[in-house]
Each structure stands twice: as structure tokens, then as C-alpha cells.
Amino acid sequence: MTSVKEQYVIVGAGPVGMYMACLLSKEGYEVVVFEQREDMRGTELQHGRSINLSLSTRGIEALMKINAETQAVSEGMPMSARFVHRCDGTTYTMQYGTNGESLISVDRRQLNELLLNIAEQEYGVKVHFQHKLIKCDFENGEIVFERSSDGTQIPVKIDMIFGCDGAHSTVRKEMMRCGRFDYCQTYSKHGYIELIMPAKEGHKPVLEEDFLHIWPKCQFMLIALPNKDKSYTGTFFIPFETWDQLKTKEDILNFWDNHFRETIPLIGKDRIVEAVMNKEPLPLITIKCNRYHLGNNCVLLGDAAHAMLPFYGQGVNCGFEDCEIFHEMMKKYNGDFSLILPEFSRTRNPDAKAICDLSEMNYLEMSSKVNCKWFCFRKKVERFLHFVLPWFYIPLYQMVAFSRIPYSDVLKKQQRQNKIIDGILMAGYGITGAVVIIGSFIVYKYVNSHLCTITCLI
Ligand SMILES: Cc1cc2nc3c(=O)[nH]c(=O)nc-3n(C[C@H](O)[C@H](O)[C@H](O)COP(=O)(O)OP(=O)(O)OC[C@H]3O[C@@H](n4cnc5c(N)ncnc54)[C@H](O)[C@@H]3O)c2cc1C
């Protein structure tokens, strides 16, 4: 145990903030967490906060460091493959991993509560709820929170601040005021709403289990992730423009009937109408920054540093990995933040940008490409190549979800692999074409010579 007197403050008690709190307290650092919301363990679910997360290797291995993986995984549901409900009504499955690996569908709130419990009960972390960060004076090491119960402003002295306050981070906004900070935010043209598909009578699942179900419709898409109670949490992604056209009950039911007819009995007409009419779709944002630190006492982690679209299911996985990497650097440089912070920004930045780009690209794959037979054939060729030459070819999904290969290396490797696959498929085309031409020529010659013989005989 390191004996340290410094006060480390974590802003945000989301999954990333609470995971970082556990890692630091485990090493003996004094950690205090401030969270603007009230304690979720005693509150009702808010719209948009009930989403399921898919945990994969990066997230699960990170949780192992605080012995939380067994409980997190046991509270979740495995998903070994995509179950695609094609536009033409046919279905098929596509395995995620090449060695039978599964993603784990977990309730985000349940995961967050688990981390809160571990941090408080096992590591003695103090969490101040209803304290909203409003101001940072990084130079003098002082930040100010507002207590929502009475509006009191509370100044707090810090030696180090961890900005784990999500996509709309106040820590990041305060860093930006200090100059030379590149920042880029892009809203997706899609928003999302959640729809519950309850279990059937007798506690039976409404859909085949062990899968992430997708109804890909190019411009919009419905996905459903399994829950422990046999229900499914559906997430409907739709462009805001299309949403604006769904005004009346008839509009909504016609739309659903045209595009997702088979899900009507699973969700129920009333629930569909209620969800679409009474909710606004929530926005999806990508955030990229050129660095994640300021001076010697501030760092951004998780969504605060790099929010991404949810189409690779890597947001939390990547956020936990940030914490692990940062923590390893703290050990390597013996807690010297003048070395750790620039090194963390330098090394983590390309990886975070790569997974933001990969997540954006994956929308096209989930919403359109999976409908295409050629795409499925290509995936089979990739799996075959991996089977015969596992060191040479690793499918993209395998690298992202079931390996610890840095995301930037994944992106580079995939660009090389794409060329290989294109080459093989082109060569396959070429050979098939050549065989057809030569075959036709031989047949022509054969038929021609036999026709001559027959003609001579006649
Ligand atoms: C539809 C959807 C599906 C997703 N699916 C997946 C998935 O399958 N797998 C996956 O890994 N990820 C997924 N994600 C992403 C994942 O939800 C996020 O990456 C993750 O929640 C980020 O965690 P975080 O702790 O960094 O931020 P958050 O979860 O946003 O937590 C930030 C916390 O900081 C608090 N806070 C904010 N401002 C202040 C302030 N000024 N003062 C004090 N506290 C503050 C907030 O109240 C919040 O509690 C999905 C996201 C969406 C939208």
C-alpha cells in the first residue's frame, strides 16, 4: 500500500468514475467522488438511463482488477452472435467471436450500482451525491461544487482531478478555457429511444436467447438485448427527420407495420405508440479532443475524453481500459503526474480516436450491410482465413471486442486485411471468370468439331 496524503477528486459517479475510484483506493490513495445526481440506488429509473451495455474483453478484464467481473457477468446475459432479421423476412445468425466468445449484456444501472457498492463498502470511498462541479481553478488547485439541496457553493482543494463526468463534461469545458485545447463534437443524425419487450407468460423469452437481435432497415434500425428476467431491451435508432414525420397514432402504427411488423406482438401496439408519442429521441454524440490532461493536476477519462456512437458497444469498455492504462502509468512513473499526464494523452489519444471512427463505421454494417448476402459471404471468407492462418488474419470484431490489441493498431491492421480480402475475392472472381471462358471455349471447340464430323457423315 502506498501511503499518500494527496487528495484525489473524481468528478462523476458513472461507471468510469466509480471504477477509477476503486482502482485508486485499492492502492491506498485517498479518493473522494462528487456526483451531481442523487444516489441512483434509491431512485426511480430515468428515461434514457436504462440502456443495456455489452461488456467485452476489455471491460471484463478491467473488472477483474477489482474482483467485480464474476458478479457483473453473472448478472448479465451472454450474447454469442447477432441474430439478423433481414428485410426480406429471412433470418440468420453471425457469430461474434472466432473461438465461441460471447458479449455480456448488462444493465448499465446495475453495473453502476455494483461499482458504487464495491467502492463504498470494500474500499471505503466517500461519494458526495447532489454536488455539481461548477468551476475549476487548476492553477491554484481549487474546484467549486454546488450542493443541489440548498445551492451552497463548496470549494474543494485538490491535488489531482479526474474528470469522469461524461460526454457533456464540465471539467473538459473548464480545461478548454485554459487555451490550446482542440475539441470536436459531432451529433449523429440519429437519435434513440428504448422499448421493452416483456417476457411471455410463464417467464419465457420472446426471442431466441443468447443473441443480440437486429432488424436492419438502412436508415433506421431496431436492436434488442436480453435481460436476466427474459425480457429484452429494444433500442430504436431513427434519424430525427424521420421521427418528426411520426405525428399521429396512425403514422406510428403504419410506420411500424411497414418496417418492424414481426415485433408488434413482442412489444405491443400501445407500448409502441406510447414510446414514440411521449418521448423525444435522445441524441448521440461523438467527442474527440487532442489531449486529455492539463498541467500536472487534471485528466479526462471515459466519455468525458472520447464519447463515441454506441454501434461497437465499446464506450464503457474503452473507459475502463483508460483507467487501467492510467493506473499502470501511475505505477510505472511512481505517481509523478508531470510524466504520467503527457504520456497518457500521447498514447491514448490515437486509440480513442480509432474506436470513435470504428464505432461510426459500424452503423453501416449493422443497419445495412448485414442484409446483403455478399457481405455474409465475405465474413465467411474472413473466418476461414482466420481458421487456417490465425496469426495472419484476425476478423475486425474479434480484435475490437475479444482482444486487447490497441484500437489504433486494430484500425491499421484492418485496413491491411481489407486489401488482402479484396485481393482474394478479386482473384477468386478472376479465376472463376477464366474457368468459365476456357470451359466455354473447350465446349465450343468440341461441339464444333463433332458437328463437322456429323455434317461430313451426312
Ligand atoms: C444507446 C447507448 C448504448 C450504449 N451501449 C454501450 C455498450 O453496449 N457497451 C459499452 O461499453 N458502452 C455503451 N454505451 C456507452 C456508455 O453508456 C458510456 O460510454 C458510459 O456510460 C460512459 O461512462 P462514464 O462514466 O464515462 O460517463 P457517464 O455514464 O455519462 O457518467 C458521468 C457521470 O458524471 C456525472 N456528472 C456530469 N456532470 C457533472 C458535474 N458537473 N458535476 C458532478 N457530476 C457530474 C453524471 O451525472 C454521471 O453520473 C452506450 C451508450 C448509449 C447512449
Side-chain angles (χ1 to χ4, degrees), residues 49-117:
R49 305 293 300 174
S50 71
I51 55 163
N52 286 43
L53 300 174
S54 64
L55 276 182
S56 48
T57 297
R58 293 169 210 263
I60 294 171
E61 286 192 1
L63 290 173
M64 283 177 187
K65 298 262 158 74
I66 55 163
N67 301 323
E69 86 288 358
T70 314
Q71 199 176 338
V73 169
S74 70
E75 282 173 2
M77 291 290 286
M79 303 182 294
S80 66
R82 282 175 183 160
F83 194 109
V84 181
H85 301 253
R86 279 204 190 99
C87 293
D88 63 9
T90 58
T91 59
Y92 73 96
T93 59
M94 190 184 274
Q95 289 295 318
Y96 279 125
T98 50
N99 308 307
E101 297 95 334
S102 291
L103 303 172
I104 308 293
S105 161
V106 296
D107 182 321
R108 174 163 69 177
R109 179 175 165 138
Q110 222 169 17
L111 177 68
N112 210 156
E113 289 184 356
L114 171 68
L115 292 169
L116 276 164
N117 288 338

Side-chain angles (χ1 to χ4, degrees), residues 11-17 34-37 40 49 51-55 108 112 131-134 145 164-170 192 225 235 237 283-284 301-304 308 310 312-318:
V11 182
V16 173
F34 290 88
E35 163 61 45
Q36 67 177 3
R37 295 200 179 99
M40 60 168 64
R49 305 293 300 174
I51 55 163
N52 286 43
L53 300 174
S54 64
L55 276 182
R108 174 163 69 177
N112 210 156
H131 280 68
K132 180 180 179 172
L133 177 77
I134 51 170
F145 291 92
C164 303
D165 49 346
H168 304 285
S169 165
T170 305
Y192 72 96
L225 278 75
T235 313
F237 297 96
L284 296 165
L301 300 170
D303 275 20
M308 64 195 73
Y312 241 117
Q314 283 295 304
V316 153
N317 292 286
C318 175

Side-chain angles (χ1 to χ4, degrees), residues 14 30 58 99 109 150 163 177 186 199 232 256 270-271 280 282 285 287 291 339 349 361 377 415 429:
E30 205 169 291
R58 293 169 210 263
N99 308 307
R109 179 175 165 138
D150 55 6
R177 293 198 301 116
T186 321
Y232 272 75
W256 218 269
D270 290 346
R271 217 177 263 120
E280 267 300 303
L282 294 165
I285 195 168
I287 283 169
R291 63 187 156 91
L339 299 175
N349 198 258
M361 287 179 220
F377 172 68
Q415 282 157 355
Y429 263 150

Side-chain angles (χ1 to χ4, degrees), residues 9 11 133 136 138 143 158-163 171 297-299:
V9 168
V11 182
L133 177 77
C136 298
F138 298 108
I143 59 180
I158 52 128
D159 293 295
M160 179 68 194
I161 172 169
F162 294 86
V171 178
N297 61 2
C298 178
V299 69

Side-chain angles (χ1 to χ4, degrees), residues 13-29:
V16 173
M18 292 322 298
Y19 176 66
M20 193 64 194
C22 292
L23 276 185
L24 291 171
S25 325
K26 194 172 168 226
E27 293 289 315
Y29 292 99

Side-chain angles (χ1 to χ4, degrees), residues 172-373:
R172 189 183 63 231
K173 280 179 203 141
E174 292 291 288
M175 281 168 74
M176 283 162 70
R177 293 198 301 116
C178 301
R180 294 193 55 242
F181 186 94
D182 291 341
Y183 163 76
C184 165
Q185 77 169 43
T186 321
Y187 276 101
S188 165
K189 64 179 182 159
H190 290 83
Y192 72 96
I193 59 161
E194 297 146 20
L195 292 150
I196 279 289
M197 300 178 183
K200 283 198 278 198
E201 263 178 42
H203 200 55
K204 294 208 177 87
V206 280
L207 291 162
E208 286 78 355
E209 281 186 301
D210 193 33
F211 300 112
L212 185 152
H213 289 259
I214 309 182
W215 290 264
K217 307 285 164 175
C218 302
Q219 282 306 303
F220 29 82
M221 166 173 81
L222 177 66
I223 63 171
L225 278 75
N227 297 312
K228 208 76 187 159
D229 64 0
K230 308 282 179 191
S231 68
Y232 272 75
T233 303
T235 313
F236 175 43
F237 297 96
I238 178 169
F240 286 92
E241 267 178 17
T242 318
W243 180 274
D244 291 342
Q245 290 159 17
L246 303 179
K247 291 203 162 54
T248 63
K249 188 175 169 182
E250 284 68 42
D251 294 340
I252 297 165
L253 287 177
N254 283 341
F255 174 89
W256 218 269
D257 194 47
N258 284 337
H259 300 292
F260 303 109
R261 184 172 299 159
E262 79 242 51
T263 68
I264 295 177
L266 311 182
I267 307 170
K269 282 187 182 172
D270 290 346
R271 217 177 263 120
I272 295 168
V273 173
E274 202 262 333
V276 180
M277 275 189 119
N278 298 340
K279 289 181 189 167
E280 267 300 303
L282 294 165
L284 296 165
I285 195 168
T286 300
I287 283 169
K288 294 178 183 168
C289 312
N290 66 331
R291 63 187 156 91
Y292 305 132
H293 75 283
L294 182 77
N296 286 344
N297 61 2
C298 178
V299 69
L300 300 173
L301 300 170
D303 275 20
H306 47 63
M308 64 195 73
L309 301 184
F311 305 118
Y312 241 117
Q314 283 295 304
V316 153
N317 292 286
C318 175
F320 286 172
E321 199 178 54
D322 288 351
C323 301
E324 258 195 300
I325 290 173
F326 192 88
H327 182 233
E328 286 305 317
M329 285 184 186
M330 283 177 73
K331 287 195 216 159
K332 181 174 162 194
Y333 294 113
N334 207 17
D336 182 347
F337 286 119
S338 68
L339 299 175
I340 298 164
L341 294 178
E343 170 88 346
F344 178 72
S345 282
R346 191 181 59 74
T347 54
R348 195 59 179 154
N349 198 258
D351 290 331
K353 282 188 174 151
I355 188 60
C356 285
D357 292 343
L358 284 163
S359 301
E360 217 167 309
M361 287 179 220
N362 213 39
Y363 179 74
L364 194 63
E365 175 164 329
M366 287 177 81
S367 65
S368 315
K369 288 187 183 171
V370 290
N371 270 318
C372 166
K373 299 226 162 92

